[in-house]
Amino acid sequence: MFEPFNLTGKYAVVVGGAGGIGKAIAGGLLQSGAVVGIASRNLDSLNEAADLLRKQANGRVEVFQVDASEESSIAGLAENVVKSFGRVDILVNAQGFNTKGPALEFDMTEWDRLYTVNVRGVMLCCKVFGKYMVDQGGGKIINLSSVRGIRANAGGNSAYCSSKAAVDLITKSIATELAKNNVQVNALGPVLIATKMMEKVMAEPGRAEQYTRNIPMGRLGKVEDVVGAAVFLASSAANFITGQVLYIDGGLTAAG
Ligand SMILES: NC(=O)c1ccc[n+]([C@@H]2O[C@H](COP(=O)([O-])OP(=O)(O)OC[C@H]3O[C@@H](n4cnc5c(N)ncnc54)[C@H](OP(=O)(O)O)[C@@H]3O)[C@@H](O)[C@H]2O)c1
């Protein structure tokens, strides 16, 4: 193994770690040697994901319940993680969802709900865990953005796209603020991946083909595509990289 990718002795928490992308990233961190905590609201799905991860790699996986729309819940998560692990070196914010609707008729209650999780929840996790990282002398934060943070589409995506643009600038802002504290903050920007969040879109006839046509590599993403980039950003190989959004998109954002 290229030694900088070895995460032995590192403690990671993946919020949204029972979800499609979060679970895949948790698996990659685990296989690279990290102790991993996965966190979200539903304990059953967390336990199921943890069992699966333990079968994939012979490492330590803990589950933590959190509602990332509540500041007190996130503060409780950080306390529990630190109580259990002693420290937290890597935070992955893989929570989120999408609610679509035509811009001129957008249900603003849904808008607020989405922003509370996708934007405020990411900011709060960075804020709460960032403090622990500063106090312990460093850490890595990886936020799940999307190609939709820089690329609009006409699919009723104004809330989701703008929430991911906010994630990009939260990432860059905190990266610059914490640069001298040895906390690197980066984001990953995948293109469409068939997870639970995308079930409805994938069920629309012709929709997957329409998305695929725009991707130079000619296919949609897979959860495995995100793992290497996450391990890289979590590792000491990325110690001088901060404030970046790394697109995992088969060339979509490179094309005109
Ligand atoms: N799939 C894609 O095409 C795609 C592309 C680009 C970016 N992304 C981003 O990648 C991230 C993961 O998406 P995914 O595709 O893996 O979706 P997913 O399979 O639906 O997973 C989403 C995860 O977020 C958790 N979550 C939702 N609300 C939460 C809350 N209030 N508190 C704590 N956890 C919460 C869910 O768990 P509970 O419901 O149990 O809480 C679940 O574990 C999201 O930020 C998404 O926007 C996805």
Side-chain angles (χ1 to χ4, degrees), residues 16 18-21 40-42 66-69 94-96 117 144-146 160 164 190-193 195-198:
I21 293 175
S40 55
R41 292 166 302 176
N42 186 315
V66 70
D67 184 343
S69 62
Q95 69 275 36
V117 178
L144 262 297
S145 180
S146 168
Y160 186 75
K164 293 303 183 183
V191 74
L192 199 157
I193 298 174
T195 62
K196 189 160 177 257
M197 190 186 89
M198 300 309 294

Side-chain angles (χ1 to χ4, degrees), residues 14-25 39-46 65-70 73-74 93-98 113 116-118 121-122 125 143-148 160 163-164 167 188-199 202 221 223 226 248:
V14 182
V15 184
I21 293 175
K23 187 167 52 190
I25 291 176
S40 55
R41 292 166 302 176
N42 186 315
L43 255 189
D44 289 343
S45 61
L46 283 170
Q65 204 166 19
V66 70
D67 184 343
S69 62
E70 304 271 351
S73 183
I74 295 168
N93 279 307
Q95 69 275 36
F97 67 97
N98 189 356
R113 200 169 71 84
T116 303
V117 178
N118 287 17
V122 170
C125 287
N143 295 325
L144 262 297
S145 180
S146 168
V147 294
R148 292 290 155 233
Y160 186 75
S163 78
K164 293 303 183 183
V167 168
L188 296 172
V191 74
L192 199 157
I193 298 174
T195 62
K196 189 160 177 257
M197 190 186 89
M198 300 309 294
E199 265 170 4
M202 298 304 288
V223 291
V226 185
I248 302 155

Side-chain angles (χ1 to χ4, degrees), residues 10 46 56 75 112-113 194:
K10 301 290 181 190
L46 283 170
Q56 279 174 6
D112 290 345
R113 200 169 71 84

Side-chain angles (χ1 to χ4, degrees), residues 88-104:
V88 55
D89 302 290
I90 300 156
L91 166 70
V92 180
N93 279 307
Q95 69 275 36
F97 67 97
N98 189 356
T99 302
K100 293 175 193 285
L104 303 190

